[in-house]
Structure formats: structure tokens, C-alpha cells
Amino acid sequence: MPLKKNQTEAEALEQYRVSFENVEKQPEIATIMAEFGYDETLLTEGKTLLTKTRQAFDFNKKEDDETSEAYKNFTELKENLAKTYTLHRKKGKVIFRKDILTLNKLSLSGSLPTAYIKWLEVVKKFYTVASADSDVQSKLVRLKITTEEINGTIQLITNLELARAEYLREKGESQDATKLKDKAFGEIDDWMSEFYAVAKIALEDNPQLLESLGKFVRS
């Protein structure tokens, strides 16, 4: 997390970048800070941590974007399947309203589960049974549920399962990237906290120089 609670990670990275740039480009600051131990070697250590954190931050953003895209694809496919199945379920209940056995075989009796896994199992059962039973198919055609439509929906189910697997994979990768990013920020924040503490002491008589490091000084 950034040093300031109200500061975003991007803002923290920019402040740190400016601090390193100005401590090196302003000879007066460089000289004073070197006297307090922050010579080129130590500053390189800090810059290396900053580069590592920047890379972890960018990678985490990339993984988050990929997760969002995968989730969007998954939800769109689920919505399409739900829309198709809802219509087929209504038609099936009408067609087999007097055939309790088939109604149960197609999982059309009772209420439709809302939990994803249970819901999908009910949906799959309908199309699996329908695709394997010519008698059921012949009756479904009466309300315009064709064999082609049944097979097409089965493919949609397959696509949905693949999309969910991809989403869960991307989600896991995003969570791992977040952990790495948080660890990197913890390291750079700790380093910069000491850097600013020393700078505040070293530049006590030159508050304007301290501000050039990104630290606001009350007048």
C-alpha cells in the first residue's frame, strides 16, 4: 500500500519516481543526501525496488483486465444460455404437462435452482435427454424446438463451461499477481519511508528542496 492512506498506488509510484529523478538531477540535493548515506549505490537499490514494483503493478493491472474480460465472456454466454433454456423449459412444461415421467426425466418438474452448479446440471439434463431420445425430440418439434437447436444449445453449454474455466484461471492468476504487487509495494514503501525520514532531517534548512522530492512542507 502507498505511504499515504488517501494516495492511490499509481500516485505513490509517480511520487517515488519524481523523488529519485530530482535527488539525482539536483546537485545540491544529491550532495546533501549523499552525506547522509544516500549515495549512488543506495539510490540504485531504491530505484531497483521501484522498477520491480512498477512491473508488478502493471502486471497486476494486465491480469485484472484479462479477468474482467473473461468474466464478461462467461456472463454473456450464461445469459444467452439462460434465455434459450427459459423458453425451452416453458415449452417443455406445456408439451409434457400430462407426462410426469418425461417431465421428471427432463428435470422440468419443481422449481429451477438459482445456484450456478445446480442450475447448470438441470439445464444439461434437459438437453442431454432430449438429444438422445427421438420420441422426446418429435414432441418438442411441435413447439419449434428442433434437433439442430438442441445440439446448438449443447454446444453453448460446452462453450460456457470452457469460459467459466478460463475465468477461474484468470481470477487465480490475478489474485497471485495482486499478492506479488502488494509484496513489492510493502518493500518500496518501507524503503521510501526511511528515505523521506532522512531527507526531512537532511533538508531541514532547505524545505523547498524537500518539496522537490514530492514531500509537501507546511509554511
Side-chain angles (χ1 to χ4, degrees), residues 62-93:
K62 173 178 173 291
E63 290 297 331
D64 285 348
D65 289 343
E66 290 177 355
T67 300
S68 296
E69 183 63 30
Y71 182 71
K72 179 174 179 290
N73 183 46
F74 164 67
T75 54
E76 287 178 350
L77 287 171
K78 184 176 181 295
E79 288 172 3
N80 289 339
L81 176 59
K83 182 178 179 180
T84 298
Y85 175 68
T86 297
L87 179 58
H88 288 175
R89 183 179 176 85
K90 289 178 180 178
K91 291 181 177 181
K93 282 190 171 187

Side-chain angles (χ1 to χ4, degrees), residues 28-83:
E28 187 175 358
I29 297 178
T31 299
I32 295 174
M33 290 301 290
E35 292 174 355
F36 281 77
Y38 283 87
D39 55 11
E40 184 177 349
T41 299
L42 191 54
L43 289 175
T44 297
E45 176 186 295
K47 288 191 295 181
T48 299
L49 287 176
L50 179 59
T51 297
K52 175 185 174 182
T53 306
R54 179 79 236 190
Q55 291 173 343
F57 175 80
D58 290 340
F59 182 68
N60 187 212
K61 286 294 184 184
K62 173 178 173 291
E63 290 297 331
D64 285 348
D65 289 343
E66 290 177 355
T67 300
S68 296
E69 183 63 30
Y71 182 71
K72 179 174 179 290
N73 183 46
F74 164 67
T75 54
E76 287 178 350
L77 287 171
K78 184 176 181 295
E79 288 172 3
N80 289 339
L81 176 59
K83 182 178 179 180

Side-chain angles (χ1 to χ4, degrees), residues 3-4 15 19 196 199 207 209-217:
L3 289 175
K4 298 179 181 177
Q15 179 182 317
S19 294
Y196 288 134
L209 295 182
L210 185 60
E211 287 193 4
S212 72
L213 296 182
K215 300 299 289 182
F216 175 73
V217 180

Side-chain angles (χ1 to χ4, degrees), residues 2 4 8 19 43 49 93 108 152 154 160-161 172 176:
K4 298 179 181 177
T8 68
S19 294
L43 289 175
L49 287 176
K93 282 190 171 187
L108 293 175
I154 289 175
L160 176 64
E161 292 179 318
D176 285 341

